[in-house]
């Protein structure tokens, strides 16, 4: 017995954003969830105090946006059961009243909106508005009136918040070449009578300090998640720019990399306590922090992971949890610790098919090992490489992993140097070393598994998506460890990618490799495209044809170079897919192709999937 591709597709992904809403009948939980069987749309769901669940967003509507191409906070509940949201098809803002139809409140145009925020007492929604390569903080009247620009300050902005007395606005901003995990500024400005911001002052952050979230405590102070100590801790920050105080001085992360504007790691409870998401990449917890005493207690059960979204209302927190045996689920958590799962259960395979992960460190590299079913000795293994590269893979139920382990293929997830969840020093190991440290760390884990008697040295592959796809192809050409690689929407040539990618990441490589043109030699030496002749094994490439982050040309050019040098390869492309797989049929096709590939390079029988033909064999 093994896990089917359709099982993976129907549990793929999880809730992105949550909101707790207090009502006279009790606390509601709202969230959005992926619908692979509905063309990959994201539907907003509401769980009422009586336990019933209703789809708030009608069929055909998709609560997503393309701000910074990864999207950001895409909806907020309105009083009375309504909703304001961004719609994927046209990127406009819509208002949906209970029992009505969605009504556009922004005009047709080139604008995109994200990080939606409802300032108390105002009939408007605040958002980050993006057009071309510029972003502003704007206020959009909920009746569809004229949009007002609140702030023009930085090249990138997020986290708009109004002070309790309505007199000040706070936000987080940063400029090229920084990425938000490098350095951001927490800004405060007076809110003028016309609703626009006056001159601002920077109250936290800087070129080498990353503020990930901020919330007003009262009219004169804010709570900020920032990392001057090298760890994202919770700080109390005076709005006048005075000295801040670290409320959680410990080597734990209370924040993360802001890939999507709108992520939240703390929320204020009515009694003044803070509900926080914290921990390391090996285990993230949900807790209640007393900001006066520093007391921190865990709530919500023994989950191994809580996502970067939390909301509090009515004495309950809404958050997203997972374990190695349960998928990402929405939980409504009492602040005394009790919790209930409120999202609809997903069909799961029998527990015997699920691997038991092991957190380990091999030569200083963090990894999570998922042993294969029925393992009796060294066998085939696949190194899973996360994207980003400023990110990590947590210990959670991942049926994509279980799909392979249930077939006797082990998986090792490598949180290589550069990963989040272990402090800034570990993250900075990748500075100017992308294509070196990540490749070396994956090879270290692979060799370590061989030395431990877990993996067969001749049957180890590497796979990843986006930046993880880069590490995959870089590992193929810059090491001799891997029998083959599977690259999902991969970067294959850093210099051409920097020139053709979107604005948000257009200067990312300044920190990962080095500024151009001064360090061009590094780009040449590390480029998988320019070193394709050295590939240690075949490569399967998978790419969406609507990918605006990594153009399909990256895969096509690498395939051509492999072919020119007599190396084995295959390239499959998917219309209607962007940067990542969202459609049920795509997820199934990708998994079947990947399994067929491992069958070829590991000499395994895979009769249950269509055969895959490799081209370019010498």
């Amino acid at each position: 017995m093994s896990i089917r591709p359709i099982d993976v597709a129907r549990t793929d992904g999880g809730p992105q954003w949550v909101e707790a809403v207090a009502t006279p009948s009790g606390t509601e939980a709202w969230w959005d969830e992926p619908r692979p069987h509905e063309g990959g749309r994201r539907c907003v769901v509401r769980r009422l105090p009586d336990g019933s669940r209703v789809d708030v967003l009608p069929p055909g509507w998709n609560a997503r946006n393309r701000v910074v191409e990864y999207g950001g906070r895409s909806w907020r509940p309105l009083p009375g059961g309504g909703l304001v949201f961004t719609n994927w098809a046209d990127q406009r803002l819509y208002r949906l009243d209970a029992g009505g139809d969605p009504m556009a409140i922004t005009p047709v145009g080139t604008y995109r909106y994200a990080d939606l925020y409802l300032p108390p007492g105002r009939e408007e929604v605040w958002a980050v508005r993006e057009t071309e390569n510029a972003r502003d903080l704007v206020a959009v009247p909920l009746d569809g009136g004229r949009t007002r620009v609140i702030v023009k300050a930085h090249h990138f902005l997020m986290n708009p918040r109004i002070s309790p007395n309505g007199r000040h606005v706070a936000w987080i901003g940063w400029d090229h070449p920084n990425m938000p995990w490098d350095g951001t500024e927490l800004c405060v400005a007076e809110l003028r009578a016309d609703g626009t911001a006056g001159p601002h002052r920077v109250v936290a952050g800087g070129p080498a300090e990353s503020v990930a979230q901020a919330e007003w405590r009262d009219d004169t102070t804010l709570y900020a998640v920032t990392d001057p100590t090298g760890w994202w801790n919770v700080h109390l920050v005076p709005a006048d720019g005075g000295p801040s105080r670290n409320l959680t001085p410990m080597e734990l992360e209370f924040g993360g990399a802001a890939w999507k504007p709108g992520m939240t790691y703390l929320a204020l409870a009515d009694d003044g306590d803070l509900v926080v998401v914290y921990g390391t990449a090996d285990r993230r917890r949900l807790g209640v922090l007393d900001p006066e005493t520093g007391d921190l207690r865990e709530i919500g059960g023994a989950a191994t992971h809580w996502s970067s979204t939390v909301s509090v209302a009515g004495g309950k927190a809404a958050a997203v949890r997972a374990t190695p045996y349960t998928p990402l689920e929405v939980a409504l958590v009492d602040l005394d610790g009790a919790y209930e799962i409120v999202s609809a259960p997903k069909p799961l395979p029998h527990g015997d098919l699920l691997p038991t992960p092991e957190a380990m460190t091999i030569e200083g590299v963090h990894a999570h090992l998922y042993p294969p079913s029925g393992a009796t000795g060294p066998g085939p293994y696949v190194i899973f490489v996360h994207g980003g590269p400023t990110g990590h893979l947590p210990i959670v139920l991942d049926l994509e992993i279980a799909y392979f382990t249930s077939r006797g293929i082990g998986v090792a997830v490598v949180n290589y140097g550069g990963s989040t969840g272990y402090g800034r020093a570990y993250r900075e190991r990748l500075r100017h070393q992308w294509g070196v440290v990540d490749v070396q760390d994956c090879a270290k884990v692979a060799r370590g598994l061989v030395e431990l008697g877990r993996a067969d040295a001749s049957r180890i592959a590497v796979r990843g998506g986006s930046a993880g796809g880069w590490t995959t192809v870089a590992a193929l050409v810059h090491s001799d460890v891997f029998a083959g690689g599977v690259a999902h929407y991969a970067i294959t040539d850093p210099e051409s990618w920097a020139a053709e990618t979107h604005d948000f990441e257009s200067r990312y490589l300044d920190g990962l490799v080095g500024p151009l043109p001064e360090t061009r030699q590094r780009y040449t030496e590390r480029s998988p495209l320019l070193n394709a002749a050295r590939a240690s094994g075949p490569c399967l490439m998978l790419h969406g044809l609507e990918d605006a982050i990594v153009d399909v040309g990256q895969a096509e050019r690498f395939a051509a170079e492999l072919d020119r040098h007599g190396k084995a390869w295959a390239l499959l492309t998917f219309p209607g897919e962007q940067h990542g797989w969202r459609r049920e049929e795509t997820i199934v096709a990708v998994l079947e192709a990947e399994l067929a590939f491992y069958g070829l390079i590991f000499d395994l029988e895979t009769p249950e999937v269509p055969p895959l033909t490799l081209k370019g064999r010498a």
Side-chain angles (χ1 to χ4, degrees):
M1 186 186 300
S2 53
I3 293 170
R4 302 172 303 165
I6 194 68
D7 299 327
V8 181
R10 290 179 179 172
T11 60
D12 187 61
Q16 181 72 68
W17 317 107
V18 297
E19 188 97 4
V21 177
T23 75
S25 303
T27 302
E28 298 181 354
W30 293 57
W31 65 90
D32 64 289
E33 61 186 31
R35 298 282 175 86
H37 58 290
E38 296 179 23
R41 81 177 183 113
R42 296 198 75 89
C43 180
V44 179
V45 181
R46 176 188 184 190
R47 196 265 196 172
L48 302 170
D50 65 7
S52 60
R53 286 180 293 269
V54 295
D55 285 359
V56 180
L57 206 58
W61 296 88
N62 185 356
R64 285 180 62 206
N65 56 71
R66 294 187 62 168
V67 169
V68 299
E69 292 301 340
Y70 291 99
R73 177 80 196 222
S74 56
W75 58 270
R76 290 281 185 178
L78 295 173
L83 183 73
V84 59
F85 69 98
T86 60
N87 185 47
W88 175 256
D90 57 10
Q91 298 294 303
R92 298 168 73 186
L93 271 170
Y94 283 79
R95 174 177 179 164
L96 173 62
D97 293 323
D101 295 320
M103 178 190 75
I105 59 173
T106 55
V108 174
T110 59
Y111 291 126
R112 305 169 177 180
Y113 303 84
D115 204 358
L116 306 189
Y117 166 68
L118 295 173
R122 294 172 178 253
E123 289 297 309
E124 56 190 21
V125 57
W126 290 8
V128 175
R129 185 182 69 178
E130 178 180 75
T131 181
E132 296 295 332
N133 293 333
R135 287 142 210 97
D136 306 315
L137 296 181
V138 300
V140 179
L142 291 172
D143 63 4
R146 185 176 180 180
T147 296
R148 179 180 76 255
V149 175
I150 304 170
V151 172
K152 284 181 175 288
H154 297 76
H155 198 66
F156 300 97
L157 305 103
M158 64 181 183
N159 197 100
R161 298 292 189 270
I162 193 171
S163 62
N165 62 10
R167 295 175 55 186
H168 291 87
V169 57
W171 70 90
I172 296 168
W174 70 97
D175 295 301
H176 282 318
N178 266 354
M179 298 299 285
W181 42 87
D182 296 324
T184 61
E185 295 179 337
L186 173 57
C187 303
V188 173
E190 183 180 354
L191 201 57
R192 300 182 178 119
D194 64 0
T196 64
H200 71 268
R201 56 183 171 273
V202 177
V203 299
E209 179 185 335
S210 167
V211 186
Q213 184 192 352
E215 303 291 342
W216 288 94
R217 178 193 188 185
D218 51 40
D219 292 329
T220 61
T221 52
L222 300 100
Y223 293 114
V225 178
T226 186
D227 73 341
T229 66
W231 295 84
W232 275 301
N233 290 162
V234 182
H235 292 248
L236 189 64
V237 178
D240 63 3
S244 64
R245 179 163 61 93
N246 191 347
L247 304 180
T248 57
M250 55 190 78
E251 292 187 347
L252 293 172
E253 300 281 37
F254 289 74
W259 280 100
K260 298 183 178 185
M263 291 177 169
T264 52
Y265 309 91
L266 67 82
L268 281 66
D270 293 337
D271 63 2
D273 283 347
L274 302 177
V275 178
V276 291
V277 176
Y278 68 102
T280 69
D282 297 331
R283 185 171 178 217
R284 294 180 75 185
R285 300 169 170 86
L286 186 71
V288 176
L289 172 68
D290 183 333
E292 302 301 325
T293 66
D295 178 64
L296 177 63
R297 56 185 174 85
E298 186 176 358
I299 60 174
T304 52
H305 178 73
W306 293 85
S307 296
S308 304
T309 181
V310 61
S311 173
V312 179
K316 295 178 182 288
V320 180
R321 75 191 298 272
T323 76
Y325 313 105
T326 56
L328 293 166
E329 300 172 303
V330 180
L332 204 54
V333 186
D334 293 333
L335 300 193
D336 63 7
Y339 73 96
E340 62 174 326
I341 302 300
V342 296
S343 52
K346 293 183 176 181
L348 297 177
H350 193 278
D352 291 345
L353 296 175
L354 303 179
T356 297
E358 307 169 33
M360 58 174 56
T361 302
I362 297 176
E363 294 187 47
V365 182
H366 297 284
H368 304 148
L369 189 67
Y370 295 81
S373 298
T376 58
Y381 259 84
V382 179
I383 301 296
F384 270 45
V385 191
H386 66 72
T390 311
H392 70 266
L393 286 174
I395 295 179
V396 298
L397 173 64
D398 186 336
L399 288 191
E400 188 173 55
I401 290 174
Y403 175 74
F404 297 113
T405 60
S406 71
R407 289 170 166 78
I409 301 172
V411 170
V413 168
V414 178
N415 284 329
Y416 49 87
S419 300
T420 55
Y422 305 102
R424 183 180 278 260
Y426 192 76
R427 210 163 71 236
E428 292 285 342
R429 284 187 58 220
L430 204 62
R431 178 161 291 274
H432 295 165
Q433 295 297 312
W434 195 42
V436 179
V437 165
D438 49 330
V439 169
Q440 291 174 349
D441 284 1
C442 289
K444 286 177 183 177
V445 171
R447 293 190 182 102
L449 293 177
V450 173
E451 293 173 3
L452 291 169
R454 310 292 285 268
D456 177 349
S458 66
R459 294 196 293 168
I460 303 178
V462 58
R463 64 92 77 178
S466 189
W470 150 272
T471 302
T472 294
V473 293
L476 280 182
V477 304
H478 294 307
S479 77
D480 58 1
V481 175
F482 301 105
V486 179
H488 300 244
Y489 34 93
I491 298 165
T492 66
D493 180 61
E495 184 168 356
S496 62
W497 177 76
E500 67 194 19
T501 195
H502 60 130
D503 187 41
F504 177 60
E505 293 184 274
S506 62
R507 299 292 300 279
Y508 194 8
L509 297 191
D510 283 34
L512 290 176
V513 181
L516 286 167
E518 300 94 312
T519 61
R520 176 165 285 121
Q521 186 61 31
R522 294 180 195 165
Y523 288 74
T524 301
E525 291 171 353
R526 298 178 196 175
S527 170
L529 177 71
L530 300 180
N531 292 277
R534 299 169 56 184
S536 62
C539 185
L540 168 63
M541 287 160 283
L542 307 146
H543 220 106
L545 291 178
E546 295 180 9
D547 193 336
I549 294 172
V550 180
D551 187 80
V552 68
Q554 290 278 318
E556 292 170 340
R557 293 192 292 272
F558 188 60
E561 280 300 291
L562 290 172
D563 195 73
R564 189 166 73 88
H565 293 288
K567 302 293 183 178
W569 61 275
L571 170 60
L572 303 180
T573 58
F574 300 91
E577 292 285 5
Q578 297 92 43
H579 199 65
W581 316 125
R582 291 179 174 84
R583 301 184 180 200
E584 184 177 282
E585 60 271 24
T586 305
I587 296 168
V588 170
V590 163
L591 283 171
E592 290 181 338
E594 190 165 346
L595 180 61
F597 179 79
Y598 297 141
L600 291 174
I601 66 170
F602 293 155
D603 193 24
L604 300 174
E605 297 290 333
T606 58
E608 71 271 39
V609 299
L612 178 73
T613 300
L614 296 177
K615 303 176 182 178
R617 283 187 182 275

